[in-house]
Amino acid sequence: MSEHTGDDAFATLAGYRARGGWEAARKALTTMSPEQVVELVKNAGLQGRGGAGFATGLKWSFMPKGNEKPKYLVCNADESEPGSFKDRLLLSRAPHQMLEGILIGAWATGAEKTFVYVRGEYAHPADVLQRAIDECYEAGLLGASCLGTGFRHDVVVSRGAGAYICGEETGLLESLEGKKGQPRKKPPFPAQYGAFGMPTTVNNVETFSHVPHIVSRGAEWFRGFGTEKSPGTTIFGVSGHVRRPGLYELPLGTRLDEIVFEHAQGPLGGRKVKGVIPGGASMPILPASQLDVPMANEFLRERKTMLGTGGVMVMDDTTCMVRVACVITYFFRDESCGQCTQCREGTGWIHKIMERIERGAGQRSDLDLLLDIASKMEGQTICAFADAAAWPVQGLLRHFRADFEAHVEHGKCPFPESFEL
């Protein structure tokens, strides 16, 4: 998927076609029925790469058949999880790959239009994507008769305003309709009542980008990578205290310590790793002693964390985990849409207590109070935002409680080399 992203020409229609681009869509639209495409993606075991990991083929099969209402696809390009930056690469360096996956998905689900919801800060990727869409219309790949088959499909770019909650699929749909980005209660699910009240399927940028390769090379080829339960590759975004931060496409199931120490070449200046968040800021952290874990949800769940968006955030032994907690809880307090009491009040109180501990005014009872608040947020709200705010707090206290106790005992931060707030 990322093989040619270092080549500037790959972002253009001519460059993409020179490497076999758009032949998978031609194959799907001219030789396969929609049901065959859905079955192929099911057999490949492709899971959504946006964080939830739901089976893509199964999701496509939920779209109603024999319904006269227009059907829509939505491509979630609102990449806003701190630590994740892979969609930016795919949008700006391989837009035709994603668009080809969208057209194949549209054929499989009978969708007549796709809305690509792009994060507001992604101005350059959005411009590159729009140029690629324009090229597709001029070449007859999109529009009234895609690839001359008579199948109509249109793609529209919609720019968000940069709110984290608009990455949640129903919050995204509300924002797409011009309303405040607040998640909807489910059911009804988007396949029954989605964008503008029409049946809708939401997938993200990386998920669509895998589809052309599955159609071209088959389900067994895709299953040749990754684990039995988590097939294929994904793009890990490595950031923090490493020599080579960046994006690495690797099979799911690649061990976390291999990603950190071999691909990203470990911490700077001979420091030791203290902790790693494996899947973006909403996922519970792992201590250095637990990095020998395959990066797939079935293994990460055993260590009470998850793959999330694959944003690997590395922290060395200078890092104060109380300050990490302050930064993360500030983010979630600031980004809560405020719709649910448990989330609105919980994120505010957790951040307030974290700040109190960081400045040396905390008490030992605050640590249990934090866990109590987090437990009352988890699973109690319309969407998973409150879970995402609670999990990093639980993980930091599970593995680095000594850092918090040291702040309480000494009345100040005991890590003078740590970053400042």
Side-chain angles (χ1 to χ4, degrees):
M1 187 173 53
S2 60
E3 181 180 2
H4 302 296
T5 51
D7 181 356
D8 290 344
F10 197 62
T12 67
L13 177 57
Y16 186 62
R17 274 182 157 164
R19 289 160 181 77
W22 286 104
E23 289 305 311
R26 185 180 301 281
K27 176 183 176 181
L29 269 64
T30 60
T31 69
M32 300 174 72
S33 68
E35 292 78 13
Q36 287 174 321
V37 176
V38 171
E39 200 61 26
L40 174 65
V41 175
K42 278 185 180 177
N43 291 338
L46 174 63
Q47 299 169 344
R49 298 296 198 250
F54 195 83
T56 302
L58 183 62
K59 197 174 195 180
W60 288 2
S61 72
F62 292 157
M63 287 284 264
K65 298 176 178 61
N67 191 327
E68 294 183 356
K69 289 183 177 179
K71 300 172 193 170
Y72 298 143
L73 292 183
V74 170
C75 179
N76 185 347
D78 188 71
E79 184 174 51
S80 48
E81 177 80 356
S84 180
F85 45 99
K86 59 185 176 182
D87 289 354
R88 184 175 61 189
L89 172 84
L90 294 171
L91 286 167
S92 58
R93 308 295 295 182
H96 281 281
Q97 182 176 244
M98 182 194 76
L99 290 169
E100 186 176 13
I102 285 174
L103 181 57
I104 294 169
W107 173 249
T109 57
E112 66 175 46
K113 182 178 287 187
T114 293
F115 300 92
V116 184
Y117 187 93
V118 182
R119 181 167 180 74
E121 290 89 338
Y122 280 7
H124 174 66
D127 289 343
V128 174
L129 174 62
Q130 187 59 60
R131 285 198 294 273
I133 291 171
D134 293 344
E135 286 184 310
C136 289
Y137 275 101
E138 290 177 10
L141 299 168
L142 294 173
S145 180
C146 300
L147 290 157
T149 61
F151 176 70
R152 180 178 189 101
H153 192 71
D154 294 295
V155 176
V156 176
V157 175
S158 178
R159 299 282 299 277
Y164 177 81
I165 196 59
C166 291
E168 195 276 342
E169 65 175 5
T170 59
L172 186 158
L173 295 176
E174 289 286 294
S175 177
L176 183 67
E177 294 175 4
K179 294 178 280 188
K180 183 177 180 181
Q182 290 186 324
R184 300 172 179 171
K185 290 182 180 177
K186 292 186 282 190
F189 293 94
Q192 285 79 47
Y193 189 89
F196 307 101
M198 302 302 163
T200 302
T201 292
V202 183
N203 292 124
N204 84 334
V205 173
E206 186 187 339
T207 307
F208 280 123
S209 297
H210 280 290
V211 171
H213 302 284
I214 293 171
V215 171
S216 292
R217 305 184 191 194
E220 288 306 310
W221 169 83
F222 189 74
R223 283 191 170 277
F225 303 96
T227 70
E228 182 178 353
K229 292 183 178 178
S230 301
T233 64
T234 194
I235 299 177
F236 296 102
V238 186
S239 60
H241 296 145
V242 289
R243 288 189 179 88
R244 292 188 62 199
L247 294 163
Y248 298 91
E249 184 178 3
L250 297 165
L252 285 165
T254 301
R255 281 177 32 153
L256 181 55
D257 52 4
E258 178 186 328
I259 295 171
V260 172
F261 294 106
E262 295 183 26
H263 298 286
Q265 297 187 359
L268 296 160
R271 308 295 313 200
K272 294 180 179 178
V273 169
K274 183 171 182 176
V276 177
I277 299 176
S282 62
M283 295 297 116
I285 194 169
L286 289 173
S289 60
Q290 295 190 21
L291 304 188
D292 57 338
V293 59
M295 288 287 279
N297 276 325
E298 64 267 32
F299 300 101
L300 289 164
R301 285 195 190 99
E302 294 175 359
R303 303 198 180 184
K304 297 183 178 180
T305 188
M306 286 188 288
L307 181 67
T309 56
V312 177
M313 304 164 76
V314 183
M315 285 159 267
D316 70 19
D317 55 3
T318 65
T319 307
C320 169
M321 290 302 176
V322 177
R323 291 185 180 178
V324 171
C326 285
V327 172
I328 291 175
T329 57
Y330 174 87
F331 173 81
F332 283 105
R333 184 206 64 175
D334 208 46
E335 293 288 345
S336 171
C337 77
Q339 186 174 197
C340 302
T341 304
Q342 294 91 336
C343 182
R344 182 183 65 247
E345 300 297 322
T347 53
W349 277 108
I350 280 182
H351 178 63
K352 184 176 288 187
I353 296 168
M354 286 292 186
E355 279 195 324
R356 186 163 73 208
I357 295 170
E358 203 286 323
R359 68 171 184 267
Q363 304 174 16
R364 282 188 176 272
S365 59
D366 284 341
L367 309 189
D368 291 332
L369 179 59
L370 285 167
L371 291 174
D372 185 51
I373 296 171
S375 70
K376 288 180 170 56
M377 295 166 59
E378 192 177 7
Q380 300 297 314
T381 52
I382 289 175
C383 76
F385 184 97
D387 297 18
W391 290 339
V393 173
Q394 293 167 336
L396 284 162
L397 281 165
R398 181 161 55 243
H399 297 299
F400 298 100
R401 192 179 180 100
D403 282 21
F404 293 79
E405 291 175 341
H407 277 71
V408 172
E409 182 179 344
H410 299 293
K412 63 179 182 180
C413 179
F415 302 100
E417 295 181 272
S418 183
F419 69 92
E420 295 185 3
L421 290 175

